[in-house]
Amino acid sequence: MSYKDILIFLDGSTDSNARMEFAFSLAQAHGARLTGVDVDAAAAFEGEWAERAKSLAETFHAAANRSGVHVRFKIADRYAAGWKDFYAHYADLLIATQPNQEASGRVLSGVPEQVLMTAGVPMIMLPQGWKPRPVGKEVVIAWSPSAQATRVVHGAMPILARAQKVTAFAFDPPADGEDTDVELLREHLLAHGVRIKIDKWSNAGGLSPIEALFASPALEEADLVVAGAYSHSRFREALFGGMTKSLLQQFSLPVLVSH
């Protein structure tokens, strides 16, 4: 079980090289082709970003030569930007960096938020200022019985199958006299060869889901969060509302998320 087609969004930001290093290491591990998509806007070719933006293709191909990964390089249309132009529908996994003010106006609008909402493909989003380190050895699934959480778990399966430790975090799980939802998740993942531990946060108190997640001992050693939107009636949300929005704004770990 592996990803065979990975796509990385490239730009002239200071985060681009770390993102690229991570993407190449992931592509190597899965034997995947890596597509680099230059999503710099016209403003990126002025000022402090200019040199990095102009050398993106050269930097990307040099990294490919060192790694032995099969690659292709694309340039998004800077004058007709939209989700159709970002090649995201033709990959198994996308890699981007958390939205940030530094990139505003310099990266094409729609990356990464609109792409994530419309591509139908899971995305690993790296934090601002992230330094390359192992990802996917200890994984926490932010679980709820929702369509979004189910999709993202299946989208993360190649990583879950290789992880050393996987924990499912369930916030205020509903009581069920016959079956507990997270136990059903455990059985389902075991059928795929993935063993998980379960962390139930049953006493919500005054904590929000994001506060409870960050307070969980499971997150102390984690290197990746797999996040779906919570669908419990108290926390019903769109993907970029509530817990998931908070997670994408505040996180310090890579997050694998999908819509």
Side-chain angles (χ1 to χ4, degrees):
M1 188 181 301
S2 60
Y3 301 114
K4 290 302 179 185
D5 226 343
I6 298 173
L7 183 149
I8 175 176
F9 293 114
L10 301 170
D11 54 56
S13 70
T14 54
D15 287 316
S16 194
N17 284 344
R19 189 187 324 143
M20 201 181 303
E21 184 176 334
F22 168 68
F24 275 104
S25 67
L26 195 63
Q28 281 181 315
H30 289 266
R33 176 179 69 172
L34 182 63
T35 299
V37 181
D38 180 350
V39 292
D40 275 317
F45 296 88
E46 304 170 358
E48 60 182 303
W49 278 37
E51 184 176 346
R52 295 190 298 267
K54 291 174 182 177
S55 62
L56 269 183
E58 180 182 351
T59 302
F60 182 71
H61 286 295
N65 290 335
R66 292 192 300 270
S67 67
V69 170
H70 175 51
V71 300
R72 60 179 181 173
F73 183 79
K74 301 288 185 180
I75 300 176
D77 190 333
R78 296 188 175 97
Y79 301 98
W83 61 268
K84 291 182 180 180
D85 304 300
F86 298 135
Y87 307 96
H89 298 291
Y90 317 105
D92 301 318
L93 179 71
L94 312 177
I95 298 174
T97 294
Q98 174 188 32
N100 64 86
Q101 289 300 314
E102 180 195 9
S104 180
R106 292 170 170 167
V107 172
L108 294 176
S109 62
V111 179
E113 298 101 317
Q114 186 180 354
V115 175
L116 178 58
M117 293 290 286
T118 58
V121 178
M123 177 185 289
I124 292 181
M125 206 173 291
L126 302 175
Q128 297 176 43
W130 184 78
K131 304 299 181 186
R133 63 182 70 92
V135 173
K137 289 187 176 182
E138 297 202 15
V139 181
V140 173
I141 300 170
W143 174 253
S144 72
S146 66
Q148 292 92 342
T150 302
R151 280 195 293 268
V152 77
V153 165
H154 283 269
M157 202 69 77
I159 289 176
L160 299 178
R162 295 165 181 250
Q164 296 174 2
K165 179 182 177 183
V166 180
T167 302
F169 173 84
F171 181 79
D172 195 19
D176 188 317
E178 296 183 5
D179 291 304
T180 302
D181 171 65
V182 283
E183 292 296 339
L184 294 174
L185 176 66
R186 188 207 298 272
E187 293 176 9
H188 173 64
L189 290 180
L190 188 59
H192 290 272
V194 179
R195 297 181 179 274
I196 67 170
K197 296 185 176 181
I198 294 173
D199 181 9
K200 298 180 184 178
W201 198 279
S202 56
N203 183 13
L207 293 182
S208 68
I210 187 67
E211 290 169 336
L213 176 63
F214 278 105
S216 168
L219 213 64
E220 292 178 3
E221 302 297 329
D223 54 44
L224 178 69
V225 176
V226 173
Y230 277 71
S231 63
H232 190 283
S233 60
R234 291 173 56 200
F235 304 102
R236 201 172 300 277
E237 61 180 7
L239 183 61
F240 277 90
M243 176 176 177
T244 311
K245 179 177 180 180
S246 298
L247 185 59
L248 296 182
Q249 289 175 341
Q250 301 175 21
F251 68 94
S252 56
L253 293 174
V255 177
L256 194 156
V257 66
S258 70
H259 177 50

